[in-house]
Structures are given as structure tokens and as C-alpha cells.
Amino acid sequence: MNVELVYSPSNCRCAYQLNWVLTALWKMGVNDDPWLASLQTSTEPDGVRILSHRFQRALRSQFLVSSTPDVSPAGISRCIKGRLQYLLRDDYPSAFQRNYAIRSIGSRRRSVLESYVARQLCHHPIADRRVAERFKRLQKQNGVDLSLPRRGAHAVYWYNLHIVLVNDRRWRVIKQSDLEKIGSSIESINSRRDHLISRVAILPDHIHLIVGCNLTESPLDAALTYMNEICLNLGNAPLFQFSLYVGTCGEYDLGVFWQGQ
């Protein structure tokens, strides 16, 4: 029997800051003057905004990109390479190699976000000791190294997200068994979706996750998976607000790319 999911792209508002560096490999040398402006215009309807481009080497392009949350990293690559190939089709019928790399980056480095999430209980102290102890056991560091690259069929990628889910009400008196179900739901997704969860902070009014995701899933899909899985394990009633935040993070921040311009 199919279960109707509580949260979907159509009923949730998503705040986001999603930035990427896409590295594409050319088969021959080209100049970006004729095509960059046209490429920027053509990718925008697909939810992909090219902020900047540079040739890192003669046959290696780097695109600094922002995206909407419904676009996966694999989709970003298809969009940019496909649109650009179309623009160059007359002079370069096969301009690109199939291999590429994509890296998530943010306004702050991942190490800074990791520290921020680790200190959440200090930022949001709980007066009741017994309740505070319950939540203390739910703050997890899994020892996952998100700085390491992951590999797809034709891609090397670093795809790390900071996800924030806001509870519909404060969980001050929630049962310990329910809190444990929330934690086990997160771990279940980690295993089933082949995610790499680095940090978890479960608090009375919100949840933080820092997680490495898969190349073909969009940030919105990844976040909704956690929201719906938790709800399914707790009776499939709404637990969160119909809104969320998702942002990219990585070993570098946006300043590193801009300084290299």
C-alpha cells in the first residue's frame, strides 16, 4: 500500500544557498569571449546560474555556479555542457570529454559549519536537566571525512549539504522512544540512500544535518527524504514546518574562487 508523504516540493518553501564549482574538460582549445554571455542566458531557465568562468588550464574550464534546490549536481553538468555544446555545434561538434568534476562550496568552509553544529546545545541551552540529557545523547559526530572525493561513472564529486529542519512545535516533553526513532530514521537514510552523515544536532525546535549526498539527487530531494522518513516512523503526521533550509558546504569558501579570478 502506498503511503502519501507529508512533505513535497509543492507544499514546502525552501530557503537555500547552493554554490558549485564545475570543472569541464575540453577536447580542443577554445576562447570564452563569443559564448559565455549566451551560455549564461540559456542556463537560467533550467535553474542554473553561471556566476563566473575561467580557464584553469588550456583545456580545463571552471564554472562558478549557483542553482535552485531542485537541480542535482549531475543536472548542473548536463545543463552547462549540453547548452554549451549546442552553442558551439557548428565549429566544435564534440567539444567536451565525458569526465568532469563538481564541488559544493559555501559562504563558510565546512569545518566552520561542523563546529557550529557541534555547539548547538550550548547555543540553545535546555533548563530541565533530564530533557537536556535526552538531547545530549542525540548530538552525533560520525567520523565521516567529507573532504574525500566520491566517484560516479564519469564524475569526481564533493557534494555536501547543511540541512536545517524546523519543528512545528518545541519537543520539550517528547518521549525518549520518539527521540530515538528520529535518530534511527536519520541513520536509516544514511544507509539506504548511501549518504555520508558527518554531524547531527537534534534540538527541541530544529534539526541540523551535515551530509554528503549522491550525485543524481537534488538538494531538495535529499532534505525532503529526511523530513518524510522521520514522519513515517512517528505516525506520518506533520512534525516539521512546511519549510526548510538547505545550503552547500565544502573545503573551500566562495572567496577562494573569487580571489583566483
Side-chain angles (χ1 to χ4, degrees):
M1 185 175 73
N2 292 329
V3 176
E4 185 175 354
L5 299 178
V6 175
Y7 302 100
S8 69
S10 62
N11 67 18
C12 284
R13 293 179 293 106
C14 183
Y16 59 93
Q17 183 179 357
L18 302 166
N19 294 106
W20 318 83
V21 174
L22 171 68
T23 301
L25 306 175
W26 297 82
K27 293 182 178 180
M28 72 289 290
V30 297
N31 188 297
D32 68 349
D33 289 339
W35 52 258
L36 182 56
S38 296
L39 179 64
Q40 289 172 312
T41 300
S42 67
T43 62
E44 291 250 4
D46 299 320
V48 177
R49 175 174 292 181
I50 298 172
L51 304 176
S52 184
H53 169 265
R54 67 185 181 197
F55 284 106
Q56 187 185 35
R57 300 176 190 168
L59 299 179
R60 186 182 299 239
S61 273
Q62 281 194 331
F63 298 89
L64 177 62
V65 177
S66 67
S67 65
T68 54
D70 57 321
V71 183
S72 70
I76 292 171
S77 175
R78 285 195 302 271
C79 172
I80 292 177
K81 292 173 68 177
R83 295 286 186 183
L84 184 50
Q85 180 63 75
Y86 181 80
L87 291 172
L88 300 175
R89 64 191 182 282
D90 292 336
D91 296 324
Y92 305 99
S94 180
F96 292 104
Q97 299 180 37
R98 298 185 72 183
N99 295 338
Y100 66 94
I102 191 164
R103 180 186 291 273
S104 59
I105 61 174
S107 56
R108 295 183 291 177
R109 297 190 182 197
R110 181 181 57 82
S111 58
V112 176
L113 278 175
E114 294 262 8
S115 298
Y116 171 74
V117 173
R119 296 194 303 269
Q120 283 299 295
L121 274 183
C122 297
H123 292 316
H124 306 278
I126 300 171
D128 188 313
R129 282 188 190 174
R130 291 172 300 175
V131 175
E133 189 60 33
R134 290 181 189 176
F135 283 96
K136 184 177 180 180
R137 291 194 289 269
L138 296 170
Q139 316 309 302
K140 292 188 178 181
Q141 178 184 11
N142 288 338
V144 171
D145 188 355
L146 295 181
S147 70
L148 298 177
R150 304 180 76 182
R151 297 184 183 276
H154 301 287
V156 177
Y157 67 98
W158 296 258
Y159 176 15
N160 304 321
L161 294 176
H162 176 211
I163 299 171
V164 183
L165 311 177
V166 181
N167 306 341
D168 190 41
R169 57 193 180 277
R170 288 182 66 85
W171 292 338
R172 288 193 176 277
V173 293
I174 195 167
K175 294 185 295 185
Q176 179 64 29
S177 60
D178 287 344
L179 288 173
E180 290 172 356
K181 286 180 181 179
I182 293 169
S184 65
S185 298
I186 292 171
E187 292 301 326
S188 173
I189 297 168
N190 184 36
S191 173
R192 184 161 41 81
R193 295 288 288 257
D194 194 28
H195 284 181
L196 299 174
I197 297 179
S198 174
R199 288 271 186 182
V200 179
I202 300 174
L203 298 146
D205 56 1
H206 64 288
I207 295 176
H208 288 269
L209 299 167
I210 296 181
V211 54
C213 299
N214 291 309
L215 188 68
T216 58
E217 65 184 336
S218 72
L220 181 58
D221 179 50
L224 291 176
T225 296
Y226 287 96
M227 296 174 75
N228 283 309
E229 181 86 7
I230 291 170
C231 287
L232 280 171
N233 285 343
L234 287 169
N236 207 35
L239 293 175
F240 303 103
Q241 295 180 9
F242 285 84
S243 59
L244 62 130
Y245 168 81
V246 63
T248 44
C249 60
E251 308 316 300
Y252 307 101
D253 58 33
L254 285 165
V256 170
F257 192 91
W258 294 121
Q259 289 167 11
Q261 290 292 82

